[in-house]
Amino acid sequence: MDLWTKHCLCMCEDFLTRLSGNESGAENAALVEIENMVMDMGGSMLTQYGLPEPQQEHFERIGIDYKRETSYDIEKERHISNQNRNLLNEEQRIVHDSFVESALSATSGIFFLDAPGGCGKTFLIQTILATIRSQNKIVIATASSGLAATLLSAGRTIHSTFKVP
Ligand SMILES: Nc1ncnc2c1ncn2[C@@H]1O[C@H](COP(=O)(O)OP(=O)(O)OP(=O)(O)O)[C@@H](O)[C@H]1O
């Protein structure tokens, strides 16, 4: 418990950002994550080690990632999608529509987007993210570097998202 009290703030930092400053939510999310890790390693509930009991019913084992990916402001995403779609050029529109159709019809597919710098790849990807999120579907935006991830709405690195070793 002393360790938790001492390092609680640091361990909650990322969750605090993700949960827009909700301190009790962030503390709970950190405890849920720790408990899940401990359980994955064959350990016990945190209370067995004298730590506070996380409220797992809010997060369940599926975790905070699922919560975040299902907590977008649908109206805001719809607004971004509508606004950007009207601006797409013909090529961007073809890619947008093909990708969205494939994603929403749950057919699998691999799309490779390549164009010179400044041609609108990021703009197109942002539009695709907003279109899919506006339909209350999950789309996970990842990039190979942290810097590239910051260009995407709710983008994260591939490493942290998929636990790439
Ligand atoms: N269809 C569009 N309508 C209006 N603005 C656009 C459109 N496509 C791209 N832009 C704008 O053009 C600029 C360059 O686009 P973007 O950053 O998406 O290019 P990029 O291909 O991702 O570039 P890089 O490869 O250098 O990262 C941005 O300011 C973006 O908002």
Side-chain angles (χ1 to χ4, degrees), residues 34-95:
I34 293 167
E35 183 163 273
N36 287 345
M37 283 183 200
V38 173
M39 299 285 278
D40 282 342
M41 290 185 284
S44 307
M45 311 288 276
L46 290 190
T47 47
Q48 300 288 313
Y49 308 105
L51 285 166
E53 183 184 8
Q55 300 304 303
Q56 286 267 16
E57 69 270 17
H58 295 309
F59 293 89
E60 298 171 348
R61 299 215 61 199
I62 203 158
I64 195 166
D65 289 333
Y66 178 78
K67 183 172 163 52
R68 184 190 50 244
E69 295 301 336
T70 52
S71 301
Y72 290 100
D73 180 340
I74 303 288
E75 280 311 310
K76 191 174 154 203
E77 297 300 319
R78 187 169 294 139
H79 176 71
I80 295 170
S81 168
N82 289 340
Q83 197 174 48
N84 285 12
R85 269 192 297 139
N86 287 331
L87 293 172
L88 295 181
N89 64 31
E90 197 185 337
E91 286 180 310
Q92 286 174 320
R93 184 179 297 277
I94 290 170
V95 177

Side-chain angles (χ1 to χ4, degrees), residues 84-89 92 113 115-127 151:
N84 285 12
R85 269 192 297 139
N86 287 331
L87 293 172
L88 295 181
N89 64 31
Q92 286 174 320
L113 178 63
C119 279
K121 300 180 294 293
T122 309
F123 186 84
L124 170 60
I125 294 168
Q126 294 283 36
T127 310
L151 297 175

